[in-house]
Amino acid sequence: MSGVLFLLILGGAIFLFMNVQSSNRKKQANVDEAKFLVSLLAKVAKSDGRVSELEARLITQVLDDLSQKVSGVSGVREYLKEVYNSQKENVDNAYETARNYKRAFNLNYDTCVARLTFFLNLAYIDGEFNKSEQDVIRNIAYGFGIDKETLDEIIYKFDSFYGSRFGADHDEISQENDAFE
């Protein structure tokens, strides 16, 4: 009888240990994904040489949201802020970062398009989409494996939306900011 009780306790302990290990791996994966997101976010935000007030507010909100998502990991917000500060200084490796992110998390095409859309929102938030931002966005898109036609379509939609939002003529925006011609 004591042997059966021992085996039940041992089995329970192993089960608990496996759940804790699984939970820790999941938290680490969430931190790793947050690191990629913050790295790419930093490259987009700093690509034009400055971070506007609206961009800074959005980045702060994203850091807060990502930190909450990986709650239970101490110091994660500070870590992500360090990642942001180091990654914003090197926008030239956006393609590699996006490619590595896609591979590490086996992102499907739709997820890549959704992530790119998120980064485009940051690029457009200040009402401008200049050449350096276009270059970084293009590199991220290509790193994600997004084809030129899809990218052009997404850019067109953003130009239409933000052009009307800021009172500019879409044809004028397209001629000035044609990122891919």
Side-chain angles (χ1 to χ4, degrees), residues 3-31:
V4 171
L5 183 59
F6 174 75
L7 288 175
L8 284 173
I9 292 172
L10 181 62
I14 291 172
F15 178 76
L16 181 63
F17 177 74
M18 296 299 281
N19 279 343
V20 168
Q21 289 293 83
S22 175
S23 176
N24 287 341
R25 279 192 296 268
K26 188 173 185 175
K27 285 179 184 178
Q28 186 59 48
N30 286 341
V31 171

Side-chain angles (χ1 to χ4, degrees), residues 41-172:
L41 189 73
K43 293 171 189 325
V44 173
K46 191 67 176 188
S47 63
D48 62 359
R50 60 183 172 74
V51 178
S52 74
E53 182 182 339
L54 289 172
E55 288 170 330
R57 278 196 259 161
L58 179 61
I59 291 163
T60 298
Q61 184 64 47
V62 168
L63 288 175
D64 291 344
D65 291 347
L66 289 172
S67 298
Q68 286 179 348
K69 181 179 179 187
V70 293
S71 63
V73 179
S74 63
V76 72
R77 191 181 192 297
E78 293 77 21
Y79 171 71
L80 292 176
K81 189 171 182 178
E82 288 174 18
V83 168
Y84 172 82
N85 286 328
S86 68
Q87 292 296 310
K88 72 180 182 181
E89 301 307 323
N90 183 11
V91 299
D92 295 332
N93 66 347
Y95 174 86
E96 292 82 7
T97 303
R99 186 188 65 215
N100 291 340
Y101 176 32
K102 179 182 180 184
R103 286 181 180 165
F105 289 91
N106 198 25
L107 301 178
N108 65 37
Y109 194 78
D110 292 337
T111 300
C112 290
V113 169
R115 296 295 190 269
L116 183 70
T117 301
F118 170 73
F119 298 127
L120 274 164
N121 274 303
L122 178 67
Y124 272 92
I125 200 168
D126 60 1
E128 297 177 18
F129 187 49
N130 63 42
K131 174 83 168 92
S132 56
E133 289 171 320
Q134 293 168 11
D135 290 344
V136 169
I137 290 293
R138 182 183 329 103
N139 286 331
I140 292 171
Y142 294 163
F144 279 158
I146 296 172
D147 60 87
K148 183 182 182 314
E149 293 74 28
T150 302
L151 181 58
D152 288 344
E153 182 180 329
I154 295 169
I155 297 291
Y156 179 81
K157 288 177 183 176
F158 269 82
D159 279 346
S160 297
F161 175 76
Y162 280 98
S164 65
R165 181 174 167 215
F166 293 108
D169 178 35
H170 175 70
D171 291 334
E172 182 179 305

